[in-house]
Amino acid sequence: MTAATPSPLFPRVSTPAEYAAVPRDADAVLEGLDPEQREVATALHGPVCVLAGAGTGKTRAITHRIAYGVRAGVFQPASVLAVTFTNRAAGEMRGRLRQLGAGGVQARTFHSAALRQLQYFWPKAVGGEVPRLLERKVQLVAEAAARCRVRLDRNELRDVTGEIEWSKVTQTVPEDYPAVAAKSGREAPRDAAEIARIYGMYEQLKRERGVIDFEDVLLLTVGVLQERHDIADQVRRQYQHFVVDEYQDVSPLQQRLLELWLGDRESLCVVGDASQTIYSFTGATPDHLLNFRTRHPGATVVKLVRDYRSTPQVVHLANGVLAQARGRAADHRLELVSQREPGPDPVYTAYADEPAEAEGVARRIRELITPVEQGGGGVPASEVAILYRVNAQSEVYEQALADAQVPYQLRGAERFFERPEVREAGLLLRGAARAGNADPALTDADIPSQVRAVLGTRGWTPEPPAGSGAVRDRWESLAALVRLAEQFCASQLAAGRQVTLADLVAELDERAAAQHAPTVEGVTLASLHAAKGLEWDAVFLVGLTEGMVPITYAKTDPQVEEERRLLYVGVTRARRHLALSWALSRSPGGRANRRPSRFLNGLRPGSAAPAPRTPGGAGGIERGSGGAIAPVRKRRGPVRCRVCGRTLTDAGEMKLRRCEDCPSELDEALYERLRDWRAEQAGQLGQPAYCVFTDKTLLAIAEAVPGTEGELSGIPGVGRRKLDKFGADVLALCSGRELTRAEGIDGTSGSGSEEPARNSTEK
């Protein structure tokens, strides 16, 4: 079995070398970014919209934007809220920000951020404790159906639960469900009136038992912020800058929550790709992303199209899949440009039947994961994935991989840390940590050996059991824990830290809380939906027939286009190797009447190419229009040294617009005249000298020697009020003209026409 490779989706425990790699200053944060990514990172004032194609480094761009803003002194870490859609993505973002020197920034899912606010403000807004959170609603939906005398099989129960979730995120109440579902063109799993009754009973049962579900977290937070303006103001004082990842997946309810967080401000950066909208059945819509420029005419739009993930061959196919797309999302598609070296061409294969397809795929994977020295491809098993349209397709591939002695893992099944064997292992390891040296089997053994000894009592063995099924699944879970122990100890020792079994248990608890499962060294089996956000060296897209991709129940044009985008997501998961296959019949000896997916027409060999459509958009930057937009206050951006160009973070250096140790171009005579003038002004006003201008501001003026009001107003410390009050005098002094009394404090320059400044923040 090949050694496990570090997951690229979650940061490892940092070693001393990685700590040392934290960028030294704000400018170092920008190093290594391409021009468009750099534009994202330096566009610190919203609104900003980033249209990011698959594999273009969007997470890199937005984390560097946040880090640059923090390191340049424009953002306070605690004032930034970055929201995304999975705990794993939020954890990755927090890890990257820490490595960039921007710890303290909040990166959370919508639900996590809302739940924290709800728990904090509930006693003040409602009183008492927040109702208990119902983590799994299926059982309660089943009880609601029974109360309504409606029998649901397992699949119907799952689908009705999905309809209830959709209703809540689209803010549809039970009595409105039939009309809204019909208007939306939804294929209801049961009679719409029946679903409305079950939905209503479900809500009643929740009230009776004092529980809320995940959708209620968002609904209740929205309600509190709408009704309690004092609480909304408190949240807005805390969070002043917002970043939203995967913006194409935002539901109407999440968009409403975001608007309440923002208030009337526009310090918002959104990132998304309309071509990866594949969750409309949950209420997600790309309309918020596509309408962003309409809602924010002054927005900066940056398009990322440089694909760093996939080879030119994979990228060419991905672009081809979308070339025939129709609809609004297609009009905004991005034409990706690979930045990698060429690789093998995608492989298209037609098989006689589904078992033959599974066996052929397993055989090819066996060749790929065989070490190079043995004539194979040398690809780690964890870097290979089989992706299919529906979970029911996995069984035949599980059996084929087991027969070929290829390890595998199912993604999208039960959460790793909720598996019975993992929970049991956690209890055993916790008990062993408390026992310490009391157990002779653990005395003088290193941590991985202790873990192997403990888990060996529950079915772990150095070699995997033969075949597939529950025994193999249990072994894979325990083997993943053993590998995690090995990796954790190795990383800690590399950092010069000694660890105990208790430290490993704490690491497991932290991972369980974040649902950060360890890497299982096996081929990944996953649905196309579950694969979103992931990537592998080799991807096998299977079952690509009409009726499966697109799925049979995709009837309308928008539904078919979403199926096309789903295939696009599957293609763009591959870095180097990509195989696409289909079976001409379901069973051996069956009629070979299946046809390959229409989405492959013109792409697979021997198929006719449809007429080409409008090419996709290129990368670049679009500045906001200055049209009929209300005037906004001047926004402070990063200040750079006018001598060496370094980003300045020290307040004094920012006023001088240069580093303290950079050469000065000070006009000393002008500086002395300004000091004398300031002393006279301060005396007349009865205020300290700094209330006129600080020493740093006078130095900056004497170095810049402004000749116009515009040049003078560009110097930090010279705001609109001081420009009106003292501008004429300062410009006269800068021009070399001596002021007379008539031009001074008692003259017409405006110097004495206003009350003295009372707010020291204006100095």
Side-chain angles (χ1 to χ4, degrees):
M1 190 174 294
T2 314
T5 57
S7 169
L9 300 170
F10 203 92
R12 296 175 289 102
V13 179
S14 297
T15 64
E18 289 170 322
Y19 281 120
V22 172
R24 62 188 179 279
D25 55 25
D27 287 338
V29 172
L30 304 178
E31 293 175 1
L33 300 181
D34 68 32
E36 292 79 26
Q37 292 172 343
R38 181 179 286 256
E39 185 69 26
V40 173
T42 55
L44 296 183
H45 296 292
V48 177
C49 179
V50 184
L51 301 177
T56 57
K58 67 178 179 65
T59 305
R60 177 179 174 82
I62 58 176
T63 51
H64 281 67
R65 177 184 187 269
I66 296 170
Y68 180 66
V70 169
R71 301 292 294 276
V74 178
F75 299 162
Q76 291 299 315
S79 72
V80 181
L81 178 60
V83 287
T84 186
F85 284 83
T86 66
N87 287 323
R88 191 178 186 88
E92 178 191 1
M93 195 176 291
R94 287 193 297 270
R96 291 197 189 195
L97 288 169
R98 283 195 300 269
Q99 292 174 357
L100 291 170
V105 171
Q106 291 292 308
R108 298 187 173 277
T109 65
F110 271 101
H111 284 90
S112 172
L115 182 59
R116 281 171 63 89
Q117 292 175 19
L118 197 63
Q119 290 170 333
Y120 184 81
F121 290 112
W122 187 271
K124 179 179 179 180
V126 181
E129 294 290 324
V130 178
R132 181 173 59 86
L133 186 62
L134 180 69
E135 292 193 8
R136 295 184 180 277
K137 58 174 69 70
V138 171
Q139 289 182 335
L140 204 59
V141 173
E143 186 175 340
R147 291 270 190 104
C148 295
R149 299 175 183 253
V150 176
R151 292 176 61 90
L152 300 176
D153 63 28
R154 184 175 179 179
N155 291 331
E156 287 176 325
L157 179 59
R158 182 197 62 211
D159 292 342
V160 169
T161 301
E163 288 302 293
I164 292 174
E165 292 173 347
W166 173 83
S167 299
K168 300 186 77 165
V169 301
T170 56
Q171 302 174 78
T172 302
V173 296
E175 53 268 29
D176 292 343
Y177 170 79
V180 175
K183 185 178 179 181
S184 302
R186 290 186 71 80
E187 292 280 342
R190 295 287 297 239
D191 179 73
E194 279 187 339
I195 294 176
R197 291 206 318 274
I198 296 170
Y199 178 15
M201 180 57 68
Y202 168 76
E203 292 296 312
Q204 180 181 323
L205 289 174
K206 285 201 289 100
R207 288 191 297 271
E208 290 175 358
R209 295 173 189 184
V211 297
I212 59 176
D213 59 27
F214 275 102
E215 289 72 37
D216 290 329
V217 170
L218 300 183
L219 284 164
L220 290 169
T221 306
V222 165
V224 168
L225 296 178
Q226 284 181 160
E227 298 298 322
R228 291 293 299 269
H229 298 295
D230 56 329
I231 292 176
D233 288 341
Q234 188 173 343
V235 172
R236 290 167 193 158
R237 284 194 299 272
Q238 171 68 48
Y239 296 118
Q240 298 167 20
H241 308 281
F242 295 86
V243 176
V244 185
D245 193 12
E246 303 287 3
Y247 194 55
Q248 79 278 352
D249 291 334
V250 166
S251 70
L253 179 56
Q254 290 165 331
Q255 176 65 22
R256 180 61 186 139
L257 178 59
L258 178 62
E259 290 167 354
L260 288 167
W261 282 339
L262 273 169
D264 59 359
R265 301 164 301 175
E266 290 200 316
S267 188
L268 171 66
C269 174
V270 302
V271 189
D273 179 10
S275 295
Q276 296 188 67
T277 305
I278 59 174
Y279 294 110
S280 65
F281 61 91
T282 67
T285 170
D287 289 347
H288 305 301
L289 176 67
L290 299 177
N291 294 336
F292 192 84
R293 195 68 176 273
T294 303
R295 295 197 314 275
H296 305 280
T300 297
V301 178
V302 184
K303 297 178 181 179
L304 305 182
V305 298
R306 302 174 198 250
D307 188 317
Y308 297 96
R309 175 188 298 159
S310 305
T311 62
Q313 288 78 4
V314 173
V315 167
H316 177 72
L317 176 56
N319 289 333
V321 168
L322 290 185
Q324 302 305 316
R326 300 177 181 276
R328 194 156 175 240
D331 293 338
H332 294 79
R333 70 183 181 86
L334 300 170
E335 191 86 14
L336 299 179
V337 181
S338 176
Q339 306 298 300
R340 292 193 56 177
E341 292 293 322
D345 288 329
V347 177
Y348 301 85
T349 309
Y351 291 94
D353 49 63
E354 288 183 2
E357 183 179 9
E359 291 167 10
V361 168
R363 187 166 53 251
R364 174 62 181 133
I365 291 175
R366 178 77 262 174
E367 296 168 358
L368 268 179
I369 67 175
T370 298
V372 174
E373 55 271 20
Q374 298 177 23
V379 178
S382 59
E383 287 295 345
V384 180
I386 300 174
L387 306 182
Y388 35 75
R389 177 61 180 85
V390 296
N391 287 322
Q393 293 172 271
S394 74
E395 185 177 358
V396 65
Y397 291 94
E398 293 179 58
Q399 187 60 55
L401 291 173
D403 291 344
Q405 296 186 322
V406 174
Y408 66 88
Q409 60 170 326
L410 276 172
R411 184 171 183 84
E414 187 177 24
R415 289 181 175 181
F416 180 83
F417 287 102
E418 293 176 3
R419 297 175 186 173
E421 65 270 20
V422 174
R423 295 166 67 91
E424 182 185 23
L427 291 173
L428 289 172
L429 291 172
R430 187 172 286 106
R434 285 197 299 266
N437 293 330
D439 188 341
L442 305 180
T443 305
D444 298 328
D446 60 21
I447 303 303
S449 297
Q450 294 182 42
V451 172
R452 287 190 285 267
V454 171
L455 300 188
T457 65
R458 289 299 182 271
W460 177 84
T461 57
E463 294 298 326
S468 60
V471 173
R472 177 59 179 261
D473 291 343
R474 180 182 180 86
W475 183 89
E476 290 285 3
S477 297
L478 299 178
L481 290 174
V482 170
R483 283 192 296 272
L484 175 60
E486 294 167 349
Q487 293 167 5
F488 175 72
C489 293
S491 65
Q492 296 296 299
L493 289 174
R497 291 188 287 270
Q498 295 295 321
V499 293
T500 65
L501 194 55
D503 295 325
L504 175 63
V505 170
E507 170 75 1
L508 290 175
D509 289 341
E510 185 177 334
R511 282 170 169 261
Q515 286 302 326
H516 174 206
T519 300
V520 174
E521 186 49 45
V523 172
T524 299
L525 292 171
S527 70
L528 288 166
H529 283 102
K532 177 74 167 62
L534 304 177
E535 58 187 76
W536 295 269
D537 282 347
V539 169
F540 290 78
L541 300 176
V542 300
L544 301 181
T545 60
E546 284 291 305
M548 192 58 74
V549 182
I551 199 77
T552 305
Y553 52 75
K555 304 290 188 184
T556 66
D557 288 344
Q559 290 170 342
V560 170
E561 288 306 316
E562 182 151 337
E563 293 289 303
R564 188 192 306 272
R565 295 194 294 270
L566 193 56
L567 177 59
Y568 171 79
V569 167
V571 169
T572 55
R573 300 310 94 195
R575 298 192 191 105
R576 181 173 174 81
H577 302 278
L578 179 62
L580 305 93
S581 62
W582 56 93
L584 300 178
S585 68
R586 179 169 185 175
S587 305
R591 290 178 58 192
N593 58 355
R594 287 181 169 180
R595 292 180 293 118
S597 169
R598 71 189 77 169
F599 302 145
L600 300 181
N601 289 345
L603 302 175
R604 62 183 176 84
S607 61
R613 288 177 51 79
T614 305
I621 301 103
E622 299 174 11
R623 305 295 181 187
S625 65
I629 307 173
V632 295
R633 291 188 304 164
K634 181 180 177 182
R635 293 162 167 169
R636 182 171 65 90
V639 180
R640 296 183 180 277
C641 174
R642 52 193 166 82
V643 180
C644 70
R646 182 176 70 87
T647 299
L648 304 176
T649 55
D650 177 78
E653 292 184 338
M654 290 167 69
K655 283 209 170 187
L656 289 176
R657 286 188 174 270
R658 66 169 173 82
C659 306
E660 287 282 4
D661 53 358
C662 278
S664 170
E665 300 173 353
L666 177 67
D667 184 331
E668 295 187 7
L670 173 58
Y671 180 60
E672 291 304 320
R673 290 200 304 274
L674 288 168
R675 285 175 60 87
D676 292 342
W677 166 82
R678 182 182 65 172
E680 182 179 354
Q681 296 289 327
Q684 293 289 339
L685 295 170
Q687 294 286 327
Y690 67 74
C691 287
V692 180
F693 285 119
T694 64
D695 288 345
K696 291 289 188 184
T697 300
L698 289 189
L699 277 171
I701 293 171
E703 290 186 1
V705 193
T708 65
E709 280 196 359
E711 293 174 355
L712 179 59
S713 67
I715 295 174
V718 183
R720 181 75 255 174
R721 187 173 178 181
K722 294 200 176 180
L723 186 65
D724 293 340
K725 195 175 185 67
F726 304 122
D729 285 3
V730 172
L731 290 173
L733 290 169
C734 288
S735 69
R737 189 159 53 89
E738 293 292 337
L739 291 178
T740 64
R741 288 288 298 175
E743 294 174 303
I745 186 114
D746 298 320
T748 58
S749 69
S751 298
S753 61
E754 297 183 30
E755 295 183 4
R758 295 187 177 90
N759 190 342
S760 63
T761 61
E762 291 185 17
K763 60 189 175 184

